[in-house]
Amino acid sequence: MADARTDLVDLPGEGLKNAPGVTEWGYGQHAADLPPNIVHSPGPLKLYWLNQILFQLTTLLTKLSLCYTYAHLFRQANSRLVRTSGFINALTALLVLTYYSAAFFVCIFECSPISKSWRPHEEGRCTNLRAFRYATAVANLVTSVLVIATPLPVVFRMRQQRSEVREVIFLLLLGLVCVLWENLEND
């Protein structure tokens, strides 16, 4: 069920935010290969601004959907390990909700006036975007590891249907590898 919710939120948002950049504004091309009308246009910067907003929203909803799914799984058993995992899951959901909700609004209002976000030479002020992006990278890494690692102790202790448990563990660990790879690649 989490996969369906994740795909419904994540994939259309990713496609919508990237399609105009690839088709019209030269995303993925070298700056030297771009025509002057694109280099000097506010279009790519406006798309980048929208991309940041959609990233915060899709990340928030994706991670919350996984936390919600875990919460239902943790309710079905009653042991100290499951209660602890449930508590960590609730804290993770709270962290995800508060950070990404705030980051969503910071992305929208990062500059005053808002249009300065895609018109850098316009009069106005912007927040420290470099610090904000580093904070977002750290928050993304921490929350991703928490979302992936929280169910692992419970899943490792499951005794029924060992092949299904191995598949779940494999998928969770694959998710952890993807998170680590993405963060190493972005450094």
Side-chain angles (χ1 to χ4, degrees):
M1 190 67 167
D3 292 334
R5 280 182 250 157
T6 302
D7 289 345
L8 284 175
V9 171
D10 200 25
L11 292 179
E14 291 292 320
L16 285 174
K17 76 179 183 184
N18 290 327
V22 172
T23 59
E24 296 177 34
W25 297 107
Y27 279 23
Q29 296 180 22
H30 294 282
D33 297 336
L34 295 173
N37 65 321
I38 291 177
V39 172
H40 300 295
S41 171
L45 290 176
K46 191 180 282 188
L47 288 173
Y48 180 69
W49 175 72
L50 288 171
N51 184 5
Q52 292 177 49
I53 295 167
L54 289 174
F55 171 81
Q56 304 302 334
L57 185 61
T58 57
T59 304
L60 165 72
L61 295 174
T62 301
K63 290 181 181 184
L64 276 182
S65 70
L66 290 169
C67 289
Y68 179 75
T69 302
Y70 295 163
H72 282 289
L73 291 174
F74 294 149
R75 284 190 199 136
Q76 297 185 9
N78 191 15
S79 70
R80 173 179 269 165
L81 177 66
V82 174
R83 283 191 304 273
T84 303
S85 295
F87 180 73
I88 292 169
N89 184 57
L91 288 178
T92 301
L94 182 63
L95 176 64
V96 165
L97 182 63
T98 54
Y99 182 80
Y100 288 103
S101 295
F104 175 76
F105 289 107
V106 167
C107 284
I108 292 172
F109 302 108
E110 67 188 14
C111 293
S112 176
I114 293 174
S115 60
K116 183 165 174 52
S117 297
W118 59 86
R119 292 188 182 123
H121 302 297
E122 187 174 302
E123 283 293 319
R125 295 184 47 190
C126 293
T127 60
N128 184 344
L129 299 178
R130 184 182 187 110
F132 174 69
R133 289 193 183 101
Y134 277 119
T136 299
V138 169
N140 197 33
L141 179 63
V142 168
T143 57
S144 293
V145 169
L146 283 170
V147 165
I148 291 168
T150 298
L152 283 176
V154 175
V155 173
F156 279 131
R157 300 235 181 190
M158 294 176 84
R159 305 229 186 281
Q160 57 276 64
Q161 297 138 354
R162 292 308 274 169
S163 64
E164 291 175 5
V165 171
R166 280 193 298 270
E167 290 171 9
V168 168
I169 291 170
F170 173 76
L171 289 174
L172 289 169
L173 293 176
L174 182 62
L176 183 61
V177 168
C178 290
V179 166
L180 294 174
W181 180 262
E182 180 181 324
N183 282 285
L184 288 174
E185 183 179 65
N186 289 334
D187 285 342

